[in-house]
Amino acid sequence: MTEMLFREDAYLQEADATVLRHTPEGGIVLDRTVFYPTGGGQPGDNGQLDWEGGGLTIATTVKGDHGAIILVPAEAAHLPPVGTVVTQRLDWVRRHGHMRIHTGLHLLSVVLPYPVTGGSIGAERGRLDFRMPEPIIDKLVVEEQLNALIERDLVVSEDWITEEALRANPSIVKTMSVMPPVGQGPVRLIRIGQGRDQVDLQPCGGTHVARTSEIGRLRLGKVEKKGRDNRRVSILLD
């Protein structure tokens, strides 16, 4: 099992680690990593891996079996031997974009309180699919409400809930297409705002900014009808 340093500190951009094994496909498993693996609509991180006498570019990161996180090289290359101490460095600009968009999408689900049927996160734009039969009447109003939440500079924090408590309070699960993992112990929650200022609380394993003001201003992009009861709403960094 790989220790998830990104879970402890989403702002950690560089860290040393030890190579545990190679995968048959040429991936690298470390004992701990700052690289977030593809999941929950958020892309896997990319960056650089260096060690004494070598280095390579990491194209993406994916989940493996038994809690392993696999770093995927950009091209076939000489891999650091098992037991080698390596230094991993994130493509921080891309990751930080993911964090800003991801947190912005949580706020979008506050402004548009409909069940979420899908989503995707990029470094400059993202989207949520909603079970929303009726169209948005005024996009500008939605955009203004979204940016008003951002400007409140709300604290973004994490909490944990037992699987039993989650089953007893299913309303905090907004996503219909991706359910929180069960059978793995406590479920991580992302909270936006504190006390009476709390605006959102939902299960999520991704990376987020520490305060909403860090997102910056967002623009509402296309609103597309996707099926009888579904609409796709996009946001972009302004």
Side-chain angles (χ1 to χ4, degrees), residues 17-29:
T18 301
V19 178
L20 294 181
R21 62 183 176 88
H22 304 150
T23 69
E25 298 80 15
I28 304 165
V29 178

Side-chain angles (χ1 to χ4, degrees), residues 15-219:
D16 291 340
T18 301
V19 178
L20 294 181
R21 62 183 176 88
H22 304 150
T23 69
E25 298 80 15
I28 304 165
V29 178
L30 305 178
D31 64 338
R32 59 186 200 146
T33 187
V34 298
F35 288 79
Y36 177 84
T38 301
Q42 181 171 330
D45 284 327
N46 65 323
Q48 182 71 22
L49 207 62
D50 293 302
W51 63 95
E52 186 175 353
L56 52 80
T57 299
I58 299 300
T60 190
T61 309
V62 298
K63 295 177 182 178
D65 295 333
H66 310 295
I69 293 177
I70 303 169
L71 278 57
V72 181
E75 56 187 23
H78 173 70
L79 302 182
V82 172
T84 300
V85 175
V86 298
T87 300
Q88 47 193 324
R89 297 182 177 87
L90 277 180
D91 178 343
W92 173 246
V93 173
R94 180 171 178 266
R95 155 69 87 74
H96 192 233
H98 292 161
M99 292 164 61
R100 293 167 67 194
I101 288 293
H102 198 156
T103 312
L105 289 174
H106 279 233
L107 293 179
L108 181 64
S109 74
V110 175
V111 176
L112 298 175
Y114 302 96
V116 176
T117 59
S120 178
I121 298 161
E124 297 180 350
R125 65 173 61 221
R127 53 91 174 168
L128 287 179
D129 296 345
F130 294 96
R131 192 174 68 188
M132 183 170 59
E134 299 301 322
I136 293 175
I137 297 175
D138 192 331
K139 287 177 54 179
L140 184 58
V141 169
V142 174
E143 184 176 294
E144 289 175 347
Q145 291 174 337
L146 182 60
N147 283 298
L149 286 174
I150 291 170
E151 290 167 5
R152 285 172 62 181
D153 193 29
L154 299 167
V155 173
V156 182
S157 59
E158 71 172 21
D159 205 345
W160 295 84
I161 190 171
T162 64
E163 294 179 6
E164 292 76 15
L166 181 64
R167 284 193 289 268
N169 190 17
S171 63
I172 65 174
V173 180
K174 297 185 178 184
T175 54
M176 301 173 64
S177 58
V178 180
M179 298 300 291
V182 294
Q184 301 178 21
V187 177
R188 181 179 183 243
L189 303 176
I190 294 298
R191 183 189 308 275
I192 302 182
Q194 300 285 341
R196 285 182 291 182
D197 284 335
Q198 179 177 307
V199 298
D200 191 46
L201 179 69
Q202 60 177 293
C204 186
T207 59
H208 304 81
V209 295
R211 304 187 73 96
T212 58
S213 60
E214 192 176 336
I215 298 169
R217 187 167 181 83
L218 293 174
R219 287 187 292 114

Side-chain angles (χ1 to χ4, degrees), residues 2-18:
T2 306
E3 181 183 355
M4 297 180 286
L5 298 177
F6 57 83
R7 181 68 57 80
E8 300 167 14
D9 182 2
Y11 291 84
L12 187 61
Q13 303 175 39
E14 179 179 320
D16 291 340
T18 301

